[in-house]
Amino acid sequence: MSHVSSHSPHGQAPLRTVQVLGGGSAVSSTHVRSLTSGLVARGVRVTVCAPSEADGLYDFTGVGAHHVHVPRSSDPASVAGLRSAFADADLVHAHGLHAGFRATLALGRRTTPLVVTLHTRSYAEGARAHLLRLLERRVAKAAAVVLGTSSDLVDQARSRGARDARLAAVALPVPRRVVAGEDPDRPASKVRAELGATERPLLMTVGTLDRRRGYDTLLDAAREWRGLDPAPLLVVAGEGPLRGTLQRRIEDEELPVRLVGRRDDVSELVAAADLALLPGGPEARSVLAQQALHARVPLVAAAVGSLPDLVGDGAELVPYGDAGALAGAVARLLGDPARCETLRERGTRQAATWPTEDETVAQVLSVYDELTQLRPLT
């Protein structure tokens, strides 16, 4: 039996869902694109509420969604935009805490089921920590189902009052060129030449340039491996509030580091690298960690949160915030091809245990079906 018929049974109209994006992180945006593609293929109608630049980057319309531009804020105009998009929805699915909060405001007293997927743990200090807990409680109680991408996010949702919190299967799409080998139009050697790493090792990291991701530790480590011959080049893809501070430090200390901003070819950059580095980050399922293991690029990562569960023995783990350990691991791996090959093999095995895109879509659809069984017939 086809999936499409199972989601328009007995003359029922196709299921109409609205996906709401919050901060627009690579993790949630990549997931929503993958999910949208799978839902549309199974006969579900999908509207994605996100800023226009997110549709430009992730092309939700290209996989069959209707896109509605909604700015990333909780102001009345944004909430009104969401409310309008929700008008004929059978179900609303928000991705991230802030998207969940905005969806809760927009739904008001409507009984449309709300699903919230939590991809990252939010952090705040002082008075803001109290506000954050209130926000978490409001969203947890409003959601019919909370999906957490790690067990600690599920536990947190339950502690905030979620009536139904479950572990979510979240797959990262494997880029076509990783599956089929190198993109013949842009081989790794060309990527490395463009980045300025033809005669030296290339290290790659990706992520928002903010305080929680361990960039200070990374630059401290870069200062240590500057003495290697040849000194590896670290390329950092991403934008964020720390850009100016990091750039000044790179220049002042003459560090072998390049900030290349936000890129739409991250999977190619990672695949061309000798090592991928992950000094920290709040995501339960790091996109960079998954890209590195899929691309058979050895990963050195800080052992924080649920990252050790994600990568298993397929990465070199170091303590968070320990620049000496990070620099030492990089130097050892660059001088040990056999260890790198072992990590590639283990990483490939670990990646094979992760959920597939089909399994991710199937789990989400089963949740949607539970919550919308009493939809009217056409």
Side-chain angles (χ1 to χ4, degrees):
M1 186 176 82
S2 79
H3 281 294
V4 173
S5 64
S6 68
H7 287 93
S8 307
H10 314 303
Q12 262 189 350
L15 185 66
R16 292 162 304 188
T17 72
V18 178
Q19 310 288 324
V20 183
L21 269 171
S25 73
V27 175
S28 54
S29 302
T30 305
H31 171 59
V32 169
R33 186 185 195 279
S34 165
L35 186 58
T36 296
S37 177
L39 291 172
V40 168
R42 290 161 175 80
V44 177
R45 286 191 188 159
V46 179
T47 296
V48 175
C49 292
S52 293
E53 63 265 25
D55 189 45
L57 272 173
Y58 294 95
D59 194 22
F60 305 117
T61 46
V63 291
H66 172 59
H67 171 251
V68 174
H69 169 67
V70 180
R72 287 187 194 113
S73 71
S74 302
D75 64 35
S78 295
V79 172
L82 289 177
R83 190 173 291 130
S84 167
F86 295 171
D88 61 352
D90 297 306
L91 180 140
V92 173
H93 189 164
H95 298 266
L97 180 65
H98 290 279
F101 178 62
R102 290 157 62 227
T104 300
L105 291 178
L107 282 169
R109 296 183 178 280
R110 290 187 56 180
T111 57
T112 308
L114 172 65
V115 177
V116 177
T117 296
L118 298 177
H119 294 272
T120 63
R121 185 185 272 276
S122 300
Y123 292 90
E125 293 163 6
R128 292 178 66 85
H130 176 65
L131 287 174
L132 177 63
R133 276 195 299 278
L134 290 175
L135 194 67
E136 288 169 347
R137 276 203 286 274
R138 175 90 184 263
V139 171
K141 289 176 176 174
V145 174
V146 176
L147 297 172
T149 56
S150 64
S151 51
D152 60 325
L153 287 169
V154 174
D155 293 342
Q156 179 186 289
R158 287 184 182 135
S159 74
R160 300 290 188 261
R163 54 202 136 136
D164 188 341
R166 312 177 193 182
L167 190 61
V170 175
L172 175 78
V174 184
R176 174 189 55 77
R177 62 194 146 266
V178 173
V179 179
E182 265 183 3
D183 180 349
D185 300 326
R186 193 160 174 251
S189 57
K190 190 175 178 190
V191 175
R192 294 174 70 101
E194 287 168 9
L195 294 172
T198 46
E199 301 293 326
R200 61 200 298 199
L202 174 62
L203 314 177
M204 192 72 218
T205 192
V206 183
T208 308
L209 306 182
D210 65 29
R211 203 165 53 83
R212 290 211 51 80
R213 290 172 189 271
Y215 287 112
D216 281 340
T217 305
L218 200 53
L219 295 192
D220 289 345
R223 196 169 54 215
E224 292 194 35
W225 68 57
R226 196 171 45 181
L228 296 176
D229 185 22
L233 173 67
L234 170 64
V235 171
V236 182
E239 269 305 341
L242 283 187
R243 172 140 195 176
T245 307
L246 295 174
Q247 187 61 50
R248 277 192 300 278
R249 215 187 131 185
I250 291 163
E251 290 167 10
D252 291 347
E253 299 177 31
E254 298 181 349
L255 300 176
V257 180
R258 275 191 67 194
L259 306 181
V260 295
R262 190 176 279 119
R263 300 280 293 229
D264 59 7
D265 58 349
V266 162
S267 57
E268 287 180 59
L269 302 186
V270 172
D274 294 288
L275 301 176
L277 308 185
L278 189 61
E283 299 94 352
R285 298 186 70 84
S286 159
V287 170
L288 174 60
Q290 294 178 75
Q291 284 175 326
L293 268 60
H294 276 309
R296 293 176 59 82
V297 173
L299 172 70
V300 181
V304 287
S306 54
L307 190 101
D309 294 335
L310 178 69
V311 300
D313 65 356
E316 197 77 48
L317 296 178
V318 297
Y320 177 74
D322 188 334
L326 182 60
V330 166
R332 276 195 310 279
L333 284 174
L334 290 177
D336 190 347
R339 173 67 181 157
C340 287
E341 188 54 35
T342 299
L343 285 176
R344 287 188 194 99
E345 294 303 323
R346 288 178 178 173
T348 300
R349 277 205 307 274
Q350 182 68 12
T353 69
W354 296 335
T356 64
E357 286 185 85
D358 271 351
E359 287 164 347
T360 299
V361 174
Q363 184 199 25
V364 168
L365 260 181
S366 71
V367 171
Y368 290 1
D369 282 347
E370 279 176 48
L371 298 176
T372 60
Q373 277 170 346
L374 301 176
R375 284 188 299 130
L377 300 180
T378 50

